[in-house]
Amino acid sequence: MLDQGAPAQQSSHTASARPGAVARLMRRKPVERLVAEGGQGEGGALRRTLGLWQLTMISIGATLGTGIFVVLGEAVPKAGPAVTLSFVIAGLTALFSALSYAELAGTIPVAGSSYSYAYATMGELIAWVCGWCLVLEYGVSVAAVAVGWGEYLNELLDGTIGVTIPDVLSAPPGDGGVFNLPALLVVLLAMAFLLGGAKESARANTVMVAVKIAALVLFCAIGVQGFRSGNYAHFMPLGMAGVSAAGATLFFSYIGFDAASTAGEEAKNAQRDLPRAIMLSLVIVTALYVLVAAVAVGAKPWQRFGDSEAALSQIMREVTGQSFWGTLLAFCAVIAIASVVLTVLYGQTRILFAMSRDGLVPQVFSRVHPRTGTPRANTVIVSLFCGVLAAAIPLGRLADATSIGTLFAFGLVNIAVVVLRRTRPEMPRTFRVPLSPVLPALGFGFCVWMMGSLSAVTWVVFGVWMGVGLVFYFPYGHRRSRLATPAPSEK
């Protein structure tokens, strides 16, 4: 049987025979080829410098941030005190998908994350759709996180020097501003770290993750002093529909756990460490989310959460009656959210790196700088795009658009793990999803359910985004794919 990932060969009966249109759309890239190409780019190679600790910190760094510091304020009005249940539901959805990610990351340790997994199991068109969703997931979430960073920066400035950046320069159009300058600045700051190299960026991220965990523990220690059981009197005022709607929005808070899988070509021992990093980070993040949400709602009536995106800082100020603690939390949040921008931006560049190496996006995204071992041009282009997006679009729209792209990609990963079990059962796996295919099926079902909870506007945006992606794929990616036009050495 011919390898579906191999380039078309001339038939002995018909020299000019070519695969049909459907066959070309479904061509798969062999796992062995994916792994063999790992780290290789145009003009250089990525460097394997990251261990288990750094990979776990990348995953936590990409996950723990805006979801609890900022988006909590938008989710509570949708679910009331039951927002804690929304976090659990979103966490379960993430857990089922994380199990599938862990198995595939240990089996196919490459930079493309779910894009590469789909390419190996479901074919090029599905891989493209998945990769295009990841561009939405990572690229747009960088912008969304950067918007939240500006909110806490103003809190910090107000608490320290008594001034704030005017709305015209700290809010996007539609939210009372013209251009969100802080959002652009934090993206450019993250870009500067990434250009220095993966190892250096991982060190900076580890420090920032330690600060953000300490900040959330401090919030719980102080916020619990203002806890009022009456705030939980009507636990589910908006019903289960509100809980699921808040859960769909809060799923945005979990997207980072898969960031470790984008570091597959820069990990020292990817097959061993990637599954561990993914699962460990998700457990830590979920525990912190539920604890902080429970304390926050207990300390402040849920009806008052819609008045600020810097909710935790305000709660600290109200509970203590002093501005110092709120200012301190705002300082920690500024550092914490910056780490999300850094790690998610890292993930986005590595996914585009993998797609470029396969020929589906322009070659510039896979060029590696020989001195730093980083895709420099890729990093600059993505950073500028995300920075401008962050400066011009409100947070709520960005968070929901990110959630639907993430859920779609996660759903495909749950399918991919089952497909690879059936097509390549002999492959060594350092981690196996228990009770497969039951748990992957549950993961897929949860993703579909939460996608259905998102607004019609979000679905329209998603449909337009997919349409744009297909318009780009057919005239460009489909024709330039490495599987369609192999290098001379591969012919």
Side-chain angles (χ1 to χ4, degrees):
M1 181 179 292
L2 291 176
D3 191 336
Q4 287 181 276
Q9 302 291 328
Q10 289 187 337
S11 167
S12 58
H13 300 287
T14 308
S16 60
R18 296 183 60 190
V22 174
R24 292 197 298 273
L25 293 176
M26 298 300 292
R27 56 196 174 204
R28 298 198 300 264
K29 190 171 184 179
V31 173
E32 291 78 9
R33 181 171 170 180
L34 279 167
V35 176
E37 291 178 354
Q40 299 303 313
E42 295 292 328
L46 304 178
R47 298 173 182 172
R48 293 192 178 276
T49 59
L50 306 177
L52 175 61
W53 177 250
Q54 289 90 348
L55 292 170
T56 303
M57 290 300 102
I58 286 173
S59 194
I60 294 176
T63 311
L64 191 61
T66 305
I68 195 66
F69 282 105
V70 180
V71 178
L72 177 66
E74 295 193 2
V76 171
K78 296 180 180 180
V83 71
T84 52
L85 182 58
S86 299
F87 267 117
V88 172
I89 291 173
L92 281 174
T93 304
L95 174 61
F96 290 131
S97 297
L99 291 170
S100 295
Y101 262 101
E103 176 169 329
L104 291 172
T107 309
I108 314 174
V110 293
S113 186
S114 51
Y115 155 76
S116 295
Y117 309 152
Y119 213 164
T121 57
M122 290 177 280
E124 186 173 282
L125 178 60
I126 302 299
W128 168 264
V129 170
C130 186
W132 196 241
C133 284
L134 292 175
V135 171
L136 181 68
E137 172 190 343
Y138 280 86
V140 178
S141 67
V142 167
V145 170
V147 172
W149 186 82
E151 292 288 329
Y152 274 97
L153 179 63
N154 261 340
E155 286 281 326
L156 176 61
L157 292 174
D158 184 41
T160 53
I161 60 178
V163 299
T164 59
I165 301 172
D167 285 348
V168 68
L169 291 177
S170 63
D175 278 3
V178 175
F179 193 80
N180 193 330
L181 182 61
L184 175 60
L185 291 178
V186 72
V187 174
L188 296 180
L189 179 63
M191 179 187 75
F193 275 109
L194 290 174
L195 290 175
K199 186 176 182 179
E200 291 73 14
S201 301
R203 287 174 177 170
N205 175 65
T206 298
V207 173
M208 290 189 280
V209 168
V211 170
K212 77 169 80 178
I213 292 177
L216 292 176
V217 172
L218 176 65
F219 169 80
C220 291
I222 293 178
V224 74
Q225 298 175 31
F227 191 92
R228 300 289 183 272
S229 59
N231 291 338
Y232 280 91
H234 303 287
F235 182 70
M236 202 180 294
L238 302 174
M240 197 60 198
V243 172
S244 62
T249 296
L250 288 171
F251 193 78
F252 169 80
S253 311
Y254 288 92
I255 70 166
F257 78 80
D258 60 324
S261 67
T262 67
E265 295 173 23
E266 290 162 287
K268 294 177 182 177
N269 190 337
Q271 290 182 306
R272 182 195 67 187
D273 292 341
L274 286 178
R276 296 179 181 181
I278 289 170
M279 298 308 300
L280 182 59
S281 63
L282 186 62
V283 169
I284 293 172
V285 165
T286 301
L288 281 171
Y289 277 166
V290 173
L291 180 61
V292 171
V295 171
V297 175
K300 183 176 182 177
W302 69 271
Q303 298 91 337
R304 292 174 49 209
F305 269 81
D307 58 357
S308 172
E309 289 176 339
L312 300 189
S313 183
Q314 284 194 352
I315 291 172
M316 292 271 277
R317 187 175 291 123
E318 292 171 3
V319 169
T320 63
Q322 301 176 10
S323 62
F324 169 77
W325 294 107
T327 302
L328 178 61
L329 186 73
F331 169 75
C332 295
V334 166
I335 295 175
I337 297 174
S339 77
V340 181
V341 175
L342 174 68
T343 48
V344 175
L345 193 62
Y346 166 85
Q348 173 68 95
T349 60
R350 271 45 180 186
I351 289 165
L352 284 172
F353 175 87
M355 296 177 73
S356 174
R357 187 172 56 203
D358 292 334
L360 302 187
V361 298
Q363 195 175 68
V364 65
F365 290 101
S366 59
R367 290 178 187 163
V368 176
H369 192 272
R371 182 176 61 83
T372 61
T374 60
R376 177 170 288 188
N378 179 345
T379 302
V380 172
I381 293 170
V382 171
S383 299
L384 293 178
F385 172 78
C386 293
V388 172
L389 197 65
I393 301 180
L395 172 64
R397 299 282 178 86
L398 290 171
D400 283 349
T402 302
S403 291
I404 196 168
T406 304
L407 287 163
F408 190 89
F410 283 11
L412 290 179
V413 169
N414 284 294
I415 295 173
V417 76
V418 176
V419 171
L420 195 63
R421 283 275 192 103
R422 293 183 179 276
T423 58
R424 300 293 304 275
E426 81 288 352
M427 289 191 67
R429 291 166 169 82
T430 55
F431 177 86
R432 299 178 70 90
V433 179
L435 302 177
S436 180
V438 175
L439 292 189
L442 286 173
F444 178 78
F446 266 90
C447 289
V448 171
W449 174 54
M450 295 192 74
M451 287 177 72
S453 299
L454 292 168
S455 68
V457 173
T458 301
W459 274 96
V460 170
V461 171
F462 181 66
V464 171
W465 178 259
M466 286 293 100
V468 171
L470 292 175
V471 167
F472 184 85
Y473 169 71
F474 283 105
Y476 185 91
H478 183 61
R479 296 176 182 274
R480 294 174 179 263
S481 168
R482 288 280 300 277
L483 296 187
T485 56
S489 61
E490 298 173 313
K491 292 181 179 179

